[in-house]
Amino acid sequence: MVLSSLEKMIGLQKKPASIRNICILAHVDHGKTTLADCLISSNGIISNRLAGKLRYLDSREDEQIRGITMKSSAISLHFEKGDQEYLINLIDSPGHVDFSSEVSTAVRLCDGCIIVLDAVEGVCPQTQAVLRQAWLENIRPVLVINKIDRLIVELKLTPQEAYSHLKNILEQVNAITGALFTSKVLEERAEKETETQGNSDSIHGDQVYDWSAGLEDTDDSHLYFSPDLGNVVFASAIDGWGFGIEHFAKLYSQKIGIKHAVLLKTLWGDYYLNAKAKKIMKGDQSKGKKPLFVQLVLDNIWSLYEAVLKRDKEKIDKIVTSLGLKIGARESHHADPKVHLNAICSQWLPISQAVLSMVCSKLPSPLDITVERVEKLMCVGARTFDSLPPETQELKKVFMKCSSEDTAPVIVFVSKMFAIDAKTLPHNKPSSVFCSIKFQSHSPSRMEDLVYTSWRLTQEEIAQRRELARRRHAEKLIASQGQELPEQALSGNESELTVKTGETKGDEQELTSQTESMAPKTVKQEADKESFIAFARVFSGVVRRGQKIFVLGPKYDPAESLNKLPSGCSAADDLPSVPHMACCTLENLYLLMGRGLEDLEEVPSGNVLGIGGLQEFVLKSATLSTSPACPPFTPLNFEATPIVRVAVEPKHPSEMPQLVRGMKLLNQADPCVQVLIQETGEHVLVTAGEVHLQRCLDDLKERFAKIQISVSEPIIPFRETITRPPKVDMVNEEIGKQQKVAVIHQAKEDQNKIPEGVQVDSDGLITMSTPNKCATLSVRAMPLPEEVTQLLEENSDLIRTMEQFNSSLNEDKKMHEINQKILHRIQEFKQKLEQNLQGRKWRNAVDQIWSFGPRKCGPNILLSKFEGYKKTVWQCLDKTTKEVSKYRDFDNSIVSGFQLATLSGPMCEEPLMGVCFIVEKWDMSKAEEQMSANRQDSEELDATEQTKNEDKVTSLSSSYTTESSSENKELQDSCQGSLNSSEKSSKRKGETLLADCYGPFSGQLIATMKEACRYALQVKPQRLMAAMYTCEIMATAEVLGRVYAVLSKREGRVLQEEMKEGTDMFIIKAVLPVAESFGFADEIRKRTSGLASPQLVFSHWEVISGDPFWVPTTEEEYLHFGEKADSENQARKYMNSVRKRKGLYVEEKIVEHAEKQRTLSRNK
């Protein structure tokens, strides 16, 4: 196909029914970019011969070197199917787990996706992840089973074996889709039950429970992949061929004389051809016959491969002539048989034709957007569609229409910002005239055209350069003649540049600045800058260049803004400021063409586009609209959690501003990276993995900061927790039955930890008083069950919603009513907590939960078990009013102390996890006595002040009786104001009654609570928790031993090992500490000669079994570990490394016995 013109693309953009927005999703190395190359070559953008080798959409240098895609890139393709023309906006996405955030940005803009699967490796971890992402975004998938040539060349399977292998792969993919569908149906059923429960509460009598899950009634046939449905293509992208069964059904319906529709249904499945009867029969396996798919399709492909790879010229010629193909002499005589094979297959079964026709027929256009998807996009967080303002709900119709009328409001979603070199922008391309001179070489052996090219300057550029030369000449004369120019030196235009001796330096600077702005150096500098383009899609209306539009942040609330803004307002009007809303102008619109961009004047609804000029308004993603009623879109779902941290600093401290600017740009350019400045002043990068980290550092050095930087060792996150006291010691002997050593180190250490003035009970209850002795707190720490910690982590968003609602209740703010769905989730969460917190010590614990921490939504709990206080986190369920008790004014101080304690633990200042703090006593009797005494004094003072104010009022009113009534009124108001202010000041006095030399009482409570929590932790057995990766490795049997060696060396633990059916590959599932993972992938690849490569995904937190403070205390431990017990303690090693990094005290001896070194031989 020839290269399509820009005008044709613009014409197709106006027909939403002919547009397909699709992305290619797969596991790493399954052939996404090679497939994209084949599709691009169909438009003549690249040569067919280079498809698969060029990797056109991998435009970054590091992508080409590593051979993996690191960012999602878009390109627009033109495709003709019969009389119909289509515009296909294709987005290629990464498959590496570190870049799964890029997949999320691509999926949001699409209506359909192509899932690519390696025929040998089958379903891999990222395949499951991308299927889940597509499901969550409500986009329709189609399947391409790629690399079928590997079944022939590498695994050497027969056609029959290959068929059963392909059937297994399809079953695996459909099993994942089925699981996603089942979970959705069960979720919907649970929601319906909660709704009906409320209605049926009043109905009494016998009730029959319906045990059916609702799966029988719902139709799911359209969800699954099956070749007979036309949503599966079998392909080998590297060899340039691919087919759906429709192609062969059409071919054989003419040859055999069986109906096309019958063949479509029977080409895949347990059917065989009865040659005598010319009928298709069922049950091929039971009768030992070849399936129709093997007989009519696979046998032909296998025989072609066999003929070409064995160089069977006769057979090849026969196949080529029977298929009616034309193969050039260059391909047929090539040394590599794969070239010959590619030439035959790409003509016989062109992959682009098969894939693009499947995309056009099976994937939806922007007009077919589902109601469910629209409602999901419009509802942020806990809100339901019904709770949105009516103006916002009306926008649903606009979404569904995908209207390009002028009256339709413009709605655009920006999924990410990406940086490109400013030189590549269309308006920065050289405007010079390109001319070519053609020569012919007259050698008898070969006629060849030699083309010499040169750039010819335009008339404007020649005039510009002439002017520059004149100015430079004028400046030289000024310098040489001491700022005095003879008039004869200049003539014509040069006379304008004369500089009189009396002129100021400012004029000279202006002249030089003008010449500098004209100079090509500065032009080059401008072109070297990074320009940011917004990767976006128009969901409604027509976007035009220069249009003014609202930029809506993720926290924007249309209900709030509609009250403030006048109805029918637009972004061009002067409007009052609204939180999380800004106005901007769309400077440039671009058609995304892979490595290039094309300028556009307007883009109608349903298209993917690039927008320039949003750098100052959009950080990572945003919603743009001309209507203030438009809600912000739901935030993107990111599969990978950023966990790998490094601190960066410039090698030369003077370059710090460049680093700060560079990190700001990097944060904008990458959807997943996080940029932080820690309390220590360190600039920290948080990334998803090692490969992602390397890419971010390269970008920082070469593109954004352009300076040399120093990078710290990775900052590994840990968590601190406590456990139950162990029952056996380090030599597996029961504690309490061994003979103790005379000097017990442990007891000494424990005494040193707790200072004087802090009471410690035998069961770990800590009692502390505030510095002014007005309040006493008793706190106990207990470990939470693992299930509860996990439950708290999973429901952190729900806890955050509860906290927001509770704080609004306490502060008497107006807040949206929590909808029934959220209330039901909170109720369920409470029930699960009650189920998991069973036993005597947890009795009524759930009803006594005071707060969660750290940051009020973490995996730690604060319980209030003292009398006279009833405030809990379940206010949103009870709708209770403010707590009225003696503790009301200071309860926030206790919560703040708990939050600080959980944010940094005593071991190495890392956050706590899985700890419950119980406040068993809070005595404020002394504080009350002091407050009542102080209050009496303050009341006396207030009384005297009030009498003074009253006297003042009466004297003033008598002196101004002659004034007008309005002035008298003003005077009375001002006097009343002074009285009110005196009342307020008395309240403030009440609040600061207990302030003394130790500071405000609330501050003392915070500090006391924090210290009490820390000491309560220290009297219990403390443990560190390490972040863990799940690691999936595919390896052959020969290198299995080496994989295990690397895993065990790095503290890894193998969970499962299974052989992949039909291959010699093993799948190893293991867990590995994040702290030991750096360099793991490289080491595995080196040790296995590249035959195994791991995929690391953050999984969970795991307690490190060893006690970091352990010292030998029994005879057996002394004998086993020695007096110093200096064998490797993993937990202590981790703890000390974190303490060193944070500048905390580390207890370690640098030199044990300092003796002079003695040499064996005397120096001569």
Side-chain angles (χ1 to χ4, degrees), residues 886-901:
K886 58 184 176 179
Y887 303 113
R888 191 189 71 188
D889 294 336
F890 300 108
D891 59 354
N892 279 341
S893 302
I894 300 294
V895 173
S896 300
F898 161 74
Q899 299 296 339
L900 288 171

Side-chain angles (χ1 to χ4, degrees), residues 79 382 458 546 1121 1147:
F79 177 65
T458 60
F1121 294 102
E1147 190 181 335

Side-chain angles (χ1 to χ4, degrees), residues 21 109-111 366 373 411-413 536-539 606-609:
N21 297 314
L109 305 184
C110 295
D111 301 305
R373 188 179 183 200
I411 301 170
V412 178
F413 182 71
R537 173 176 165 182
V538 188
F539 281 89
N607 286 286
V608 173
L609 78 160

Side-chain angles (χ1 to χ4, degrees), residues 570 589 592 976 1026 1065:
S570 72
L589 305 178
L592 302 167
Q976 191 65 39
M1065 304 288 281

